[in-house]
Amino acid sequence: MTEKVIPIRVEQSAPVVDPAWDGRPPRDVRARPLRDLRISVTDRCNFRCVYCMPREVFGADYAFLPHAAILSFEEIARVARIFVGLGVRKIRLTGGEPLVRKDVHKLIALLAPLGTDLTLTTNGSALARLAPSLKDAGLQRITVSLDSLDDATFRRMNDADVPVERVLKGIEAAAAAGLAPLKINMVVKRGTNDHQIVDMARHWRGTGHVVRFIEYMDVGSTNGWRMDDVVPSADVVRRIDEQFPLEPAEASHPGEVAERWRYRDGGGEIGVISSVTQAFCRDCNRMRLSTEGALFTCLFATEGHDLKSLLRGGASDEAIRDRIAAVWSRREDGYSEIRTAETARLRKVEMSYIGG
Ligand code: SAM
Ligand code: SF4
Ligand code: SF4
């Protein structure tokens, strides 16, 4: 039987009694505000992307979380409301694959009235069917992952034999449902799909959708990451610029992870996410809520902070709020600033569990 990769150590209770929240938007040790909440709604996925859930580890006997362990929609919505009270202005649903969680549109309907920017990241494989219900429930925007337009390369990367056509139809359906303009995420892995960089740029130019080229990261501890596999964003920009001249564009908001580049001929824009070659920890304002209700203050965390026992133990909203504020105020994270080949081998939380 495959060894279960998680659970990562989850601190069961705060080391000190949580101080009461002082009413000001919490800031961490490095004075970064808490603005962005990413919620993993499932640790399951119908893909086995080689850089995220390699099949050798996430095989048929892999022990995913049992239903009783995962937060209900009502529990998630309660936590999200408390986060909004603390200053969170953006919520992203992710996973695993969020669209494999049954009736996820019902969660969206619970979150939409909170008034934040509300979005979701998906592999797009179920989008053709679900896009209208997501939009009707109140989803505002959507990000679709698409690593290649070449069917053979795409199937090799998702390792689940899903054809690229299915995701392209999903993108079309999302746009038709009113979720446009979309963001399209491409993780670039050297020797695997980097030959597709310019094709992707060409295909989506002029559509209004924004392709974001993501540096392959050492998330978790199972994807066999090596620095040699990373194509630096500067290279991506250079390769596209040679075909379609680019110029830098202003960040649209503070803490934006993607660096924006605009086509000089008015064909729209691209983004590059350079978490390996150009750390953006200094402005990182994101907290993650795992599928089973633990808080993670960094994508590369080796430890989470339990919230579920408060949620299921009858704690008041105030006590939950104080816990969240205390966890944030103790946060010092800046993993991408200190990444080395050695840190890459640390036993970090898996991305499919914590949410990308
Ligand atoms: N299943 C959904 C999807 O693929 O869009 C949502 C979850 S996925 C973990 C979120 C994002 O993380 C995706 O865009 C995916 O491509 C990206 N990702 C996963 N593993 C990565 C890695 N090792 N390096 C960089 N990005 C990664
Ligand atoms: Fe699934 Fe998304 Fe990870 Fe691919 S990147 S295996 S689609 S969770
Ligand atoms: Fe934020 Fe951690 Fe990523 Fe730095 S490494 S940007 S602190 S999630």
Side-chain angles (χ1 to χ4, degrees), residues 17 78 158-159 171 178 201 205 250 263 325 338:
V17 175
R78 180 180 178 208
N158 69 54
D159 199 16
I171 290 173
R205 260 167 57 81
E250 290 296 304
Y263 293 111
I338 55 145

Side-chain angles (χ1 to χ4, degrees), residues 15 49 104 121 160 169 182 185 201 216 247 258 266-267 280-281 287 295 323 348:
C49 299
V104 74
T121 305
K169 288 224 165 72
L182 275 73
N185 280 355
Y216 170 47
E247 62 190 9
F280 39 77
C281 304
M287 181 93 99
L295 298 172
R323 169 66 50 85
K348 304 183 260 17

Side-chain angles (χ1 to χ4, degrees), residues 42-54 94-98 121-124 145 147 157-158 187 351-353 356:
T42 177
D43 60 335
R44 291 165 199 255
C45 185
N46 56 329
F47 281 21
R48 287 293 175 274
C49 299
V50 290
Y51 51 73
C52 179
M53 294 180 80
T94 176
E97 172 48 42
T121 305
T122 173
N123 64 29
S145 301
D147 294 327
M157 288 188 83
N158 69 54
V187 176
M351 199 171 191
S352 53
Y353 164 81

Side-chain angles (χ1 to χ4, degrees), residues 45-47 97-101 104 120 122-134 142 144-145 154 162-163 165-171 173-174 179:
C45 185
N46 56 329
F47 281 21
E97 172 48 42
L99 300 190
V100 304
R101 175 108 185 230
V104 74
L120 177 149
T122 173
N123 64 29
S125 61
L127 207 46
R129 184 166 51 87
L130 297 179
S133 63
L134 299 175
I142 200 157
V144 179
S145 301
F154 184 67
V162 176
E165 196 51 38
R166 186 138 130 222
V167 179
L168 294 175
K169 288 224 165 72
I171 290 173
L179 292 164

Side-chain angles (χ1 to χ4, degrees), residues 26 41 59 102 114 147 162 228 238 249 274 311:
V41 298
K102 189 163 175 280
L114 297 177
D147 294 327
V162 176
D228 289 353
R238 186 185 44 75
S274 323
L311 275 169

Side-chain angles (χ1 to χ4, degrees), residues 63-100:
F64 288 99
L65 294 169
H67 192 71
I70 73 179
L71 295 190
S72 67
F73 290 165
E74 289 68 27
E75 287 170 327
I76 294 173
R78 180 180 178 208
V79 176
R81 185 168 42 75
I82 295 169
F83 266 99
V84 171
L86 285 167
V88 158
R89 293 293 170 261
K90 180 172 173 189
I91 295 178
R92 176 177 296 276
L93 300 183
T94 176
E97 172 48 42
L99 300 190
V100 304

